[in-house]
Amino acid sequence: MSNQDLFLGLLRSSLWGDELDIQIGNVSRKDLGSIIKMAKSQTVLGLIAHELMTRKEFADILGKESRERLTLMVQENFFTYQRLNAVLLTIVLELRKHGIDPILLKGQGISKYYPIPELRQCGDIDIYVGQEKFAKACEIIGAMSTPEDHQGDIPSLKHYHTRIGHAFIEIHRYTDVYWPKRYDRVYQKISDAGMHSDLVPLDFVDAEVLTPSVDFNVFFIFNHFWHHFIADGVGLRQMCDWVRLLHVNHDRINLDYLSDVLCKMKLMKEWKVFGYIAVNTLGLPADEMPFYDSKYKKAAEKVLELIMLEGNFGKENMK
């Protein structure tokens, strides 16, 4: 058993709350150090750290100093998650005061689908408001930033970003932008439909926050990490988001709709390649993976090799 095998086994265990599905064998402190390094590279350290510290066979090997460092890291992830939720609610409630009902995109909403949401490593807060209300939303959110926090960035075609305290905020007028333009026209029609009907409310204690429709979201999350994969690299965190979203909502997905979208965007083959990884590497049940196709094994193994080599957003290539 390689360190990568153990890392992936621990990741599956954390994703599904199951026992380890591999034989552990002899594991040294150096091996666990290598696994922690992989977890950092793939932006899943919270998930892996929790597994290592809650399993006595690993906790004993780690030693006191390493356990304390991992404990502090997990605690910080919990605090960061709560801080981001607080900022998110402040933004949502402020926008609603001005007649804008924003839609939460990606990570902070997807974390709700994890067994322990606080273990998912946090990123930015992504809020969709649409083209019509974009300028007003930017003005409102910009006013919430202190002079030190406000980055003064000129809005891009897709979004505007700023900072409130330690939280980075992206306000989207479009969920994504495609090139060439003929693909973007198709995508915008798909996005508009998915962001204006069958929205999914998620409970954030003090308020419900809207997220995209299930059918659009499973495509959108895939589309997001696919773009990162071909542009600068992607980590397993984004794929973990995808498999948890697919798992929790597997009986609600309109397969005819999803097939039509993937074919229109010419992404069915890519979907099936990553679908093989979702099932055979991350443990998603095959019957919960739309259009699962085992014939993509060889291509999927090459993609997984790149993911493990390059790390999240290709950071390993920058060293």
Side-chain angles (χ1 to χ4, degrees), residues 269-283:
K269 177 181 177 181
E270 291 79 3
W271 174 278
K272 290 181 177 181
V273 170
F274 282 92
Y276 187 92
I277 298 172
V279 171
N280 295 281
T281 299
L282 297 180

PDB file of all heavy atoms in Angstrom, residues 269-283:
ATOM      1  N   LYS A 269     -17.874  13.675 -22.552  1.00  0.00           N
ATOM      2  CA  LYS A 269     -16.693  12.820 -22.371  1.00  0.00           C
ATOM      3  C   LYS A 269     -15.937  13.224 -21.108  1.00  0.00           C
ATOM      4  O   LYS A 269     -15.534  12.363 -20.305  1.00  0.00           O
ATOM      5  CB  LYS A 269     -15.768  12.927 -23.585  1.00  0.00           C
ATOM      6  CG  LYS A 269     -14.490  12.124 -23.436  1.00  0.00           C
ATOM      7  CD  LYS A 269     -13.578  12.273 -24.641  1.00  0.00           C
ATOM      8  CE  LYS A 269     -12.267  11.529 -24.435  1.00  0.00           C
ATOM      9  NZ  LYS A 269     -11.350  11.692 -25.604  1.00  0.00           N
ATOM     10  N   GLU A 270     -15.730  14.522 -20.922  1.00  0.00           N
ATOM     11  CA  GLU A 270     -15.005  15.016 -19.744  1.00  0.00           C
ATOM     12  C   GLU A 270     -15.762  14.662 -18.462  1.00  0.00           C
ATOM     13  O   GLU A 270     -15.148  14.280 -17.455  1.00  0.00           O
ATOM     14  CB  GLU A 270     -14.816  16.523 -19.853  1.00  0.00           C
ATOM     15  CG  GLU A 270     -13.849  16.960 -20.938  1.00  0.00           C
ATOM     16  CD  GLU A 270     -14.436  16.948 -22.345  1.00  0.00           C
ATOM     17  OE1 GLU A 270     -15.637  16.647 -22.488  1.00  0.00           O
ATOM     18  OE2 GLU A 270     -13.695  17.227 -23.300  1.00  0.00           O
ATOM     19  N   TRP A 271     -17.078  14.783 -18.502  1.00  0.00           N
ATOM     20  CA  TRP A 271     -17.914  14.406 -17.354  1.00  0.00           C
ATOM     21  C   TRP A 271     -17.674  12.946 -16.985  1.00  0.00           C
ATOM     22  O   TRP A 271     -17.543  12.598 -15.805  1.00  0.00           O
ATOM     23  CB  TRP A 271     -19.382  14.647 -17.701  1.00  0.00           C
ATOM     24  CG  TRP A 271     -20.374  14.181 -16.680  1.00  0.00           C
ATOM     25  CD1 TRP A 271     -20.840  12.898 -16.519  1.00  0.00           C
ATOM     26  CD2 TRP A 271     -21.039  14.970 -15.681  1.00  0.00           C
ATOM     27  NE1 TRP A 271     -21.743  12.836 -15.485  1.00  0.00           N
ATOM     28  CE2 TRP A 271     -21.890  14.096 -14.964  1.00  0.00           C
ATOM     29  CE3 TRP A 271     -21.014  16.318 -15.342  1.00  0.00           C
ATOM     30  CZ2 TRP A 271     -22.703  14.531 -13.916  1.00  0.00           C
ATOM     31  CZ3 TRP A 271     -21.813  16.750 -14.302  1.00  0.00           C
ATOM     32  CH2 TRP A 271     -22.642  15.874 -13.599  1.00  0.00           C
ATOM     33  N   LYS A 272     -17.615  12.072 -17.981  1.00  0.00           N
ATOM     34  CA  LYS A 272     -17.455  10.642 -17.726  1.00  0.00           C
ATOM     35  C   LYS A 272     -16.057  10.314 -17.203  1.00  0.00           C
ATOM     36  O   LYS A 272     -15.893   9.399 -16.385  1.00  0.00           O
ATOM     37  CB  LYS A 272     -17.756   9.844 -18.993  1.00  0.00           C
ATOM     38  CG  LYS A 272     -19.232   9.859 -19.366  1.00  0.00           C
ATOM     39  CD  LYS A 272     -19.505   9.028 -20.610  1.00  0.00           C
ATOM     40  CE  LYS A 272     -20.998   8.993 -20.922  1.00  0.00           C
ATOM     41  NZ  LYS A 272     -21.293   8.173 -22.131  1.00  0.00           N
ATOM     42  N   VAL A 273     -15.040  11.057 -17.678  1.00  0.00           N
ATOM     43  CA  VAL A 273     -13.682  10.846 -17.163  1.00  0.00           C
ATOM     44  C   VAL A 273     -13.640  11.167 -15.667  1.00  0.00           C
ATOM     45  O   VAL A 273     -13.157  10.365 -14.848  1.00  0.00           O
ATOM     46  CB  VAL A 273     -12.667  11.715 -17.929  1.00  0.00           C
ATOM     47  CG1 VAL A 273     -11.301  11.687 -17.225  1.00  0.00           C
ATOM     48  CG2 VAL A 273     -12.522  11.222 -19.370  1.00  0.00           C
ATOM     49  N   PHE A 274     -14.147  12.319 -15.296  1.00  0.00           N
ATOM     50  CA  PHE A 274     -14.146  12.700 -13.882  1.00  0.00           C
ATOM     51  C   PHE A 274     -15.140  11.855 -13.087  1.00  0.00           C
ATOM     52  O   PHE A 274     -14.950  11.619 -11.893  1.00  0.00           O
ATOM     53  CB  PHE A 274     -14.441  14.188 -13.731  1.00  0.00           C
ATOM     54  CG  PHE A 274     -13.261  15.062 -14.018  1.00  0.00           C
ATOM     55  CD1 PHE A 274     -13.046  15.567 -15.288  1.00  0.00           C
ATOM     56  CD2 PHE A 274     -12.340  15.361 -13.025  1.00  0.00           C
ATOM     57  CE1 PHE A 274     -11.943  16.359 -15.563  1.00  0.00           C
ATOM     58  CE2 PHE A 274     -11.232  16.148 -13.286  1.00  0.00           C
ATOM     59  CZ  PHE A 274     -11.028  16.656 -14.565  1.00  0.00           C
ATOM     60  N   GLY A 275     -16.194  11.392 -13.759  1.00  0.00           N
ATOM     61  CA  GLY A 275     -17.137  10.496 -13.093  1.00  0.00           C
ATOM     62  C   GLY A 275     -16.486   9.188 -12.671  1.00  0.00           C
ATOM     63  O   GLY A 275     -16.818   8.636 -11.619  1.00  0.00           O
ATOM     64  N   TYR A 276     -15.558   8.710 -13.473  1.00  0.00           N
ATOM     65  CA  TYR A 276     -14.824   7.493 -13.100  1.00  0.00           C
ATOM     66  C   TYR A 276     -14.008   7.734 -11.831  1.00  0.00           C
ATOM     67  O   TYR A 276     -13.969   6.880 -10.933  1.00  0.00           O
ATOM     68  CB  TYR A 276     -13.915   7.048 -14.245  1.00  0.00           C
ATOM     69  CG  TYR A 276     -13.254   5.712 -13.987  1.00  0.00           C
ATOM     70  CD1 TYR A 276     -13.843   4.541 -14.427  1.00  0.00           C
ATOM     71  CD2 TYR A 276     -12.055   5.620 -13.270  1.00  0.00           C
ATOM     72  CE1 TYR A 276     -13.256   3.308 -14.172  1.00  0.00           C
ATOM     73  CE2 TYR A 276     -11.465   4.407 -13.005  1.00  0.00           C
ATOM     74  CZ  TYR A 276     -12.074   3.246 -13.456  1.00  0.00           C
ATOM     75  OH  TYR A 276     -11.496   2.021 -13.180  1.00  0.00           O
ATOM     76  N   ILE A 277     -13.368   8.895 -11.726  1.00  0.00           N
ATOM     77  CA  ILE A 277     -12.603   9.227 -10.525  1.00  0.00           C
ATOM     78  C   ILE A 277     -13.538   9.352  -9.322  1.00  0.00           C
ATOM     79  O   ILE A 277     -13.222   8.888  -8.217  1.00  0.00           O
ATOM     80  CB  ILE A 277     -11.817  10.539 -10.735  1.00  0.00           C
ATOM     81  CG1 ILE A 277     -10.808  10.376 -11.871  1.00  0.00           C
ATOM     82  CG2 ILE A 277     -11.104  10.964  -9.454  1.00  0.00           C
ATOM     83  CD1 ILE A 277     -10.120  11.676 -12.270  1.00  0.00           C
ATOM     84  N   ALA A 278     -14.697   9.985  -9.534  1.00  0.00           N
ATOM     85  CA  ALA A 278     -15.662  10.160  -8.445  1.00  0.00           C
ATOM     86  C   ALA A 278     -16.048   8.825  -7.833  1.00  0.00           C
ATOM     87  O   ALA A 278     -16.165   8.696  -6.608  1.00  0.00           O
ATOM     88  CB  ALA A 278     -16.909  10.886  -8.963  1.00  0.00           C
ATOM     89  N   VAL A 279     -16.231   7.816  -8.675  1.00  0.00           N
ATOM     90  CA  VAL A 279     -16.664   6.498  -8.199  1.00  0.00           C
ATOM     91  C   VAL A 279     -15.494   5.688  -7.670  1.00  0.00           C
ATOM     92  O   VAL A 279     -15.520   5.174  -6.543  1.00  0.00           O
ATOM     93  CB  VAL A 279     -17.386   5.734  -9.332  1.00  0.00           C
ATOM     94  CG1 VAL A 279     -17.659   4.278  -8.918  1.00  0.00           C
ATOM     95  CG2 VAL A 279     -18.689   6.439  -9.693  1.00  0.00           C
ATOM     96  N   ASN A 280     -14.447   5.558  -8.459  1.00  0.00           N
ATOM     97  CA  ASN A 280     -13.383   4.601  -8.145  1.00  0.00           C
ATOM     98  C   ASN A 280     -12.275   5.153  -7.258  1.00  0.00           C
ATOM     99  O   ASN A 280     -11.510   4.382  -6.675  1.00  0.00           O
ATOM    100  CB  ASN A 280     -12.786   4.066  -9.452  1.00  0.00           C
ATOM    101  CG  ASN A 280     -13.788   3.257 -10.239  1.00  0.00           C
ATOM    102  OD1 ASN A 280     -14.036   2.098  -9.938  1.00  0.00           O
ATOM    103  ND2 ASN A 280     -14.394   3.879 -11.247  1.00  0.00           N
ATOM    104  N   THR A 281     -12.184   6.466  -7.136  1.00  0.00           N
ATOM    105  CA  THR A 281     -11.184   7.068  -6.259  1.00  0.00           C
ATOM    106  C   THR A 281     -11.815   7.679  -5.017  1.00  0.00           C
ATOM    107  O   THR A 281     -11.306   7.503  -3.907  1.00  0.00           O
ATOM    108  CB  THR A 281     -10.383   8.160  -7.009  1.00  0.00           C
ATOM    109  OG1 THR A 281      -9.716   7.559  -8.117  1.00  0.00           O
ATOM    110  CG2 THR A 281      -9.350   8.801  -6.088  1.00  0.00           C
ATOM    111  N   LEU A 282     -12.950   8.373  -5.199  1.00  0.00           N
ATOM    112  CA  LEU A 282     -13.568   9.084  -4.083  1.00  0.00           C
ATOM    113  C   LEU A 282     -14.729   8.339  -3.460  1.00  0.00           C
ATOM    114  O   LEU A 282     -15.257   8.766  -2.432  1.00  0.00           O
ATOM    115  CB  LEU A 282     -14.016  10.478  -4.533  1.00  0.00           C
ATOM    116  CG  LEU A 282     -12.877  11.405  -4.979  1.00  0.00           C
ATOM    117  CD1 LEU A 282     -13.421  12.752  -5.406  1.00  0.00           C
ATOM    118  CD2 LEU A 282     -11.839  11.575  -3.876  1.00  0.00           C
ATOM    119  N   GLY A 283     -15.158   7.233  -4.058  1.00  0.00           N
ATOM    120  CA  GLY A 283     -16.108   6.352  -3.392  1.00  0.00           C
ATOM    121  C   GLY A 283     -17.575   6.646  -3.609  1.00  0.00           C
ATOM    122  O   GLY A 283     -18.435   6.073  -2.920  1.00  0.00           O
TER     123      GLY A 283
END
